Amino acid sequence: MASRLFDRVTRERAWLLYAWCRKCDDLADGQDYGGVMNTHHAEVEAAFEEIRSKTESALVGETVGDPAFDALGIVVRECAIPHHLPRDLVQGFAMDAAEWRPRTEQDLLTYCYHVAGVVGVMMAIVMGVDPDDQDTLDRACDLGLAFQLANIARDISEDAAGGRCYLPQDWLTELDISPGEEMKPHFRKRLAVIAKWLAEMAADYEASARVGAAKLPFRARWAVLAAAGIYGDIAREVRAKGEHAWDHRVYTSKAAKIGWVMKALGQAMAKPGKDVSREGLWTRGR
């Protein structure tokens, strides 16, 4: 919904980038536009090799013959997206293919960068941010981190069913949650504590990203602020539900999305608010 607030050219470029991200994600998870994951290790490794090889072909200007990867080639050329950014996202799929697990909070944030923060950086460039404007791109990365932290909090049950866990081992150890047993009923209250931590982190990165949105053209700013609110509600709802957050999948209703579109319009028209420092926040390598 938020993408429809862009001007036509930006919107269509965003859709091109999304098509590639969605296709790669589905290949990595054995899905078709989401759904139940199929994470058999050999198949994941084969899927990653397909992602890597087709992405490299698109980046060097070859016609891949797969619409999603050809879409990447188009948007990279039109927007001068540095090639290391799509490659950073591919590295995130490599982490999943290797059945990677985070040990620390910093590990978690590094992963979040590779599967979402870098998408925020690329989207900012699509919206017209100079690839050399590192400060604004850091704020764009923050929004991707906020989105992924919300995803992880919401999808703990789904990830566990697929044999994955993105909760830092340090956190599980601190709360005495046995590895691989995070979804056991007797751990639900402790798991709600972890969801609270994730939601609090997501809120910090969302607040930082809202500062960066002030640097965008009006329609892009409106779209980003709407997306921040819509996705931010996922983390807020998971936190509010506590130990019942995984009884049913949390989502943002259409009515709530429309509400955020209207609220974001007012935010986009208002003067920039108080600056929010990035001190203490995770920062990508440059």
Side-chain angles (χ1 to χ4, degrees):
M1 180 176 287
S3 74
R4 296 182 182 278
L5 304 179
F6 290 132
D7 63 87
R8 183 180 64 82
V9 172
T10 302
R11 178 170 61 248
E12 292 180 356
R13 286 172 171 167
W15 287 348
L16 290 173
L17 182 61
Y18 176 81
W20 172 69
C21 294
R22 177 76 268 170
K23 181 62 179 285
C24 291
D25 199 44
D26 281 349
L27 284 170
D29 289 344
Q31 298 171 312
D32 184 14
Y33 288 89
V36 178
M37 287 191 291
N38 176 13
T39 54
H40 186 275
H41 186 60
E43 294 177 2
V44 170
E45 286 189 322
F48 167 68
E49 181 54 32
E50 180 179 354
I51 291 169
R52 188 201 62 77
S53 62
K54 288 185 176 180
T55 296
E56 287 300 319
S57 294
L59 291 178
V60 299
E62 296 178 3
T63 299
V64 179
D66 183 315
F69 289 91
D70 288 332
L72 172 68
I74 292 169
V75 73
V76 163
R77 291 191 297 274
E78 290 187 353
C79 300
I81 295 175
H83 290 188
H84 72 87
L85 295 175
R87 288 172 178 146
D88 279 353
L89 183 60
V90 170
Q91 187 175 337
F93 296 118
M95 295 167 79
D96 278 333
E99 300 184 344
W100 174 91
R101 300 288 184 272
R103 291 186 57 82
T104 66
E105 181 178 308
Q106 291 300 302
D107 289 345
L108 168 64
L109 290 167
T110 297
Y111 174 77
C112 287
Y113 165 74
H114 280 289
V115 298
V118 67
V119 178
V121 176
M122 290 189 286
M123 275 297 301
I125 295 172
V126 167
M127 288 183 274
V129 175
D130 188 322
D132 292 326
D133 183 354
Q134 300 299 333
D135 291 339
T136 301
L137 295 182
D138 282 344
R139 300 284 186 170
C141 179
D142 287 343
L143 190 58
L145 297 179
F147 286 2
Q148 188 62 24
L149 290 165
N151 266 348
I152 289 171
R154 177 189 62 189
D155 295 341
I156 292 173
S157 178
E158 180 181 329
D159 288 333
R164 293 179 177 174
C165 179
Y166 299 108
L167 308 177
Q169 183 59 51
D170 285 357
W171 292 6
L172 296 172
T173 299
E174 180 178 347
L175 295 178
D176 198 24
I177 298 175
S178 304
E181 297 187 2
E182 60 271 12
M183 289 310 302
K184 297 290 186 181
H186 55 282
F187 287 137
R188 278 294 187 98
K189 288 186 177 180
R190 300 179 206 179
L191 197 61
V193 173
I194 288 181
K196 176 177 176 289
W197 293 345
L198 290 167
E200 289 172 347
M201 290 172 63
D204 289 341
Y205 285 97
E206 179 187 335
S208 171
R210 286 177 172 275
V211 174
K215 304 284 188 68
L216 299 173
F218 173 74
R219 291 191 61 170
R221 183 164 68 252
W222 182 14
V224 165
L225 291 172
I230 290 167
Y231 231 95
D233 274 356
I234 293 174
R236 288 184 279 271
E237 184 70 10
V238 168
R239 177 177 179 176
K241 285 182 175 293
E243 61 187 284
H244 298 290
W246 306 279
D247 292 350
H248 303 284
R249 196 168 196 263
V250 171
Y251 69 97
T252 307
S253 70
K254 185 174 182 179
K257 290 177 182 177
I258 293 172
W260 268 111
V261 168
M262 300 307 297
K263 189 182 300 186
L265 175 60
Q267 293 172 344
M269 295 175 68
K271 293 182 179 179
K274 183 180 178 181
D275 190 20
V276 175
S277 172
R278 291 198 73 258
E279 185 177 357
L281 297 184
W282 184 92
T283 302
R284 65 200 170 92
R286 299 178 178 176

